[in-house]
């Protein structure tokens, strides 16, 4: 079972996008959900995470104050609201799920067991 990302696209610097992570085969609110990104030639970077139990969140320093992760349990969807986008935010963005994880501090790709296919975000004028 895989989550599915959507909402990527081309946006100018300073603009906003909202990414969605949805699932049809499992309930996202029973899972910790992480957002990751990978730019060409770079390692996959953990961007944000929201926990299943208390809804607490964590962010990488590179996006703190600009990105917001949230859940809509009725829609079985997790969102990543991205504001004040910069060219260095350009990457493929992935969501990932794990039902036995509590995110604290660093967001580690190896901690998540179920991954989406990714959605491209390009920030360019």
């Amino acid at each position: 079972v895989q989550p599915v990302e959507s909402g990527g696209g081309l946006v100018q610097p300073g603009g906003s996008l909202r990414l969605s992570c949805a699932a049809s085969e499992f309930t996202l609110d029973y899972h910790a959900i992480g957002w990751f990104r990978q730019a060409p030639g770079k390692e996959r970077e953990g961007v944000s995470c929201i926990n299943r139990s208390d809804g607490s969140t964590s962010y990488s320093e590179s996006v703190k104050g600009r990105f917001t992760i949230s859940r809509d349990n009725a829609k079985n969807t997790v969102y990543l609201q991205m504001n004040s986008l910069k060219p260095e935010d350009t990457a493929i963005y992935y969501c990932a799920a794990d039902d036995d994880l509590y995110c604290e501090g660093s967001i580690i790709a190896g901690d998540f067991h179920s991954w989406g296919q990714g959605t491209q975000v390009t920030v360019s004028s």
Side-chain angles (χ1 to χ4, degrees):
V1 293
Q2 288 182 307
V4 177
E5 306 92 339
S6 62
L10 173 64
V11 63
Q12 292 187 341
S16 298
L17 280 176
R18 188 178 75 164
L19 305 183
S20 298
C21 174
S24 60
E25 298 177 354
F26 62 99
T27 304
L28 288 182
D29 64 349
Y30 295 162
H31 295 72
I33 303 297
W35 281 99
F36 294 80
R37 65 186 182 187
Q38 189 164 19
K42 294 189 176 182
E43 293 187 356
R44 191 165 294 191
E45 174 191 13
V47 171
S48 184
C49 182
I50 186 165
N51 284 308
R52 60 175 178 164
S53 54
D54 57 11
S56 58
T57 59
S58 56
Y59 298 91
S60 65
E61 287 300 320
S62 60
V63 307
K64 195 173 292 184
R66 300 188 297 123
F67 291 11
T68 303
I69 191 170
S70 63
R71 291 183 182 270
D72 185 335
N73 291 337
K75 295 183 178 180
N76 201 29
T77 301
V78 171
Y79 301 103
L80 185 69
Q81 178 67 43
M82 306 186 297
N83 299 328
S84 303
L85 283 162
K86 306 174 182 180
E88 51 263 42
D89 294 318
T90 296
I92 299 175
Y93 283 71
Y94 301 88
C95 71
D98 194 274
D99 61 1
D100 192 31
L101 174 67
Y102 188 83
C103 294
E104 290 181 291
S106 297
I107 304 158
I108 308 299
D111 290 340
F112 291 82
H113 74 270
S114 182
W115 288 81
Q117 294 299 308
T119 185
Q120 176 71 48
V121 171
T122 303
V123 185
S124 175
S125 55

